[in-house]
Amino acid sequence: MIEEIKRMKEEKNAVILAHNYEIPEIQDIADFVGDSLGLAQQAAKTNADLIVFCGVHFMAETASIISPQKKVIIPDLDAGCSLAESITGDQLREWKAEHPGAVVVSYVNTTADVKAETDYCVTSSNALKVVQSIPADKEILFLPDRFLGQYVQAVSGRKLNIWQGACHVHEKIGDITFDDAREKHPNADYLIHPECGCSSSCMLKSTMYDNCKDIHIFSTEGMINHVKTAPAEEFVVATETGILHRMKKEAPNKKFYPADENSVCEYMKMITMEKLYKSLKEEVYEVKVPEDLAERARLPIQRMLEIV
Ligand code: 13P
Ligand code: SF4
């Protein structure tokens, strides 16, 4: 199957993009593995005719919006995202009507309909920079993740109106799990995704107490960069456990512990080798955003790609 996938990929001039949470086999066969921002950047610059997106639906949709001339396919259309589902285009339109003139900053984990109502898209790696670049007199609507919003608000010192959405995997990673891990691995660095339920409280601790300097809040790719370059030998990782495969590959002599081994995104795990094979063979399932919607959603995504 691996050989066939590689052969079809060449034949069709296809590229396989995989998120850091995908199962190990998918990560290993992909041409590029990365975080939401890295995957969007790859989709924007690839010369391939066919993009096989091994991730969740909003990521494939983003690729289709920025590369409308390419065919984008996802091996399973049911690979969704609870966070992206936590706000609809209608809900955002209502929220905007209550705050006329406000700047809308949306996390990339949103549907095309929501992006079309957005001024700036952000990922966890550039959310802070984008918020800091908005003139101080502007009111900001930040959505949909409340933990990322609280984190950005705490670090930037900027008052945000925050939508109360959350990812069902990350919101469960709270203080208790984190404190447990701290007892078991006292010499480890702590890597926390800003979508986590504990991210804002950890952030407050790390700025308030000198002895908490080993706490780092990163996007998934930021975590990978950190484990490769940091002097620490052990890491407690507070995010979806699929990332541990990539960490072990990139830093084979170091040790990695999940903050919670049950942090598994069932949507990411829907992409299997069998489905990838079928997807490439039959060129299914196409993700195509209607051009009028794509046109409105493109500008905030382009801004996200420019501010890194
Ligand atoms: P990253 O952009 O950090 O990879 O996060 C994507 C995501 O879905 C986190 O749950
Ligand atoms: Fe969405 Fe959460 Fe899965 Fe990331 S881990 S894709 S935010 S449901």
Side-chain angles (χ1 to χ4, degrees):
M1 195 182 289
I2 290 171
E3 288 315 311
E4 261 305 282
I5 289 173
K6 286 182 180 162
R7 192 194 58 73
M8 288 191 286
K9 208 182 66 167
E10 293 299 314
E11 185 187 284
K12 294 173 187 254
N13 188 27
V15 66
I16 301 177
L17 305 182
H19 188 266
N20 287 320
Y21 298 158
E22 289 296 315
I23 60 170
E25 296 86 335
I26 296 286
Q27 292 193 28
D28 291 346
I29 204 163
D31 297 292
F32 179 85
V33 186
D35 65 357
S36 307
L37 183 62
L39 294 170
Q41 286 166 333
Q42 291 295 321
K45 73 178 189 200
T46 182
N47 292 322
D49 297 313
L50 181 65
I51 300 176
V52 190
F53 217 110
C54 296
V56 293
H57 193 267
F58 78 82
M59 296 179 177
E61 228 178 28
T62 305
S64 160
I65 293 166
I66 50 181
S67 288
Q69 70 291 3
K70 315 244 169 229
K71 186 168 183 183
V72 180
I73 54 176
I74 188 166
D76 190 330
L77 271 177
D78 289 332
C81 169
S82 56
L83 183 53
E85 292 305 314
S86 65
I87 185 166
T88 64
D90 283 343
Q91 285 173 313
L92 176 52
R93 283 183 276 277
E94 266 176 43
W95 201 30
K96 280 170 76 171
E98 289 161 16
H99 297 267
V103 176
V104 178
V105 178
S106 297
Y107 193 33
V108 69
N109 297 42
T110 42
T111 61
D113 198 16
V114 167
K115 286 188 176 80
E117 295 291 334
T118 292
D119 296 301
Y120 292 89
C121 256
V122 296
T123 69
S124 48
S125 46
N126 68 359
L128 190 57
K129 259 196 195 161
V130 170
V131 164
Q132 284 166 334
S133 76
I134 296 169
D137 60 339
K138 287 278 180 195
E139 191 182 9
I140 299 177
L141 303 183
F142 190 98
L143 63 106
D145 189 74
R146 66 175 182 273
F147 299 111
L148 179 66
Q150 282 162 18
Y151 163 68
V152 171
Q153 180 168 262
V155 186
S156 68
R158 186 82 188 259
K159 172 86 187 78
L160 305 175
N161 297 290
I162 302 169
W163 190 259
Q164 293 301 299
C167 152
H168 72 296
V169 179
H170 285 89
E171 75 178 334
K172 291 188 200 126
I173 307 177
D175 269 339
I176 296 165
T177 329
F178 181 77
D179 287 344
D180 274 1
R182 202 168 180 85
E183 260 178 46
K184 285 190 199 141
H185 312 289
N187 297 320
D189 265 10
Y190 292 77
L191 305 180
I192 297 159
H193 197 280
E195 282 174 27
C196 286
C198 66
S199 66
S200 12
S201 52
C202 291
M203 186 62 221
L204 290 177
K205 278 183 203 164
S206 68
T207 50
M208 280 162 63
Y209 303 119
D210 284 347
N211 65 351
C212 289
K213 290 243 183 312
D214 52 0
I215 296 173
H216 306 274
I217 302 199
F218 283 130
S219 74
T220 58
E221 201 58 26
M223 290 183 180
I224 299 288
N225 292 335
H226 182 84
V227 302
K228 287 198 283 189
T229 53
E233 297 290 324
E234 294 187 313
F235 302 85
V236 173
V237 182
T239 192
E240 213 275 350
T241 56
I243 198 172
L244 298 181
H245 174 68
R246 176 120 188 260
M247 288 178 167
K248 286 175 196 158
K249 264 173 97 168
E250 303 270 1
N253 298 323
K254 298 188 174 181
K255 290 210 160 55
F256 306 99
Y257 309 101
D260 182 348
E261 62 188 19
N262 298 315
S263 302
V264 176
C265 174
E266 55 275 50
Y267 298 115
M268 289 281 183
K269 300 322 190 217
M270 283 179 180
I271 312 295
T272 60
M273 288 296 274
E274 288 76 10
K275 288 182 194 169
L276 170 58
Y277 172 82
K278 177 181 153 78
S279 177
L280 249 176
K281 189 165 183 234
E282 297 172 18
E283 298 193 19
V284 290
Y285 298 92
E286 187 168 9
V287 176
K288 185 93 191 135
V289 178
E291 188 43 37
D292 55 333
L293 188 60
E295 203 182 305
R296 289 191 291 130
R298 204 163 285 131
L299 180 63
I301 298 173
Q302 275 161 355
R303 286 176 171 157
M304 169 185 92
L305 294 172
E306 277 155 23
I307 307 176
V308 283

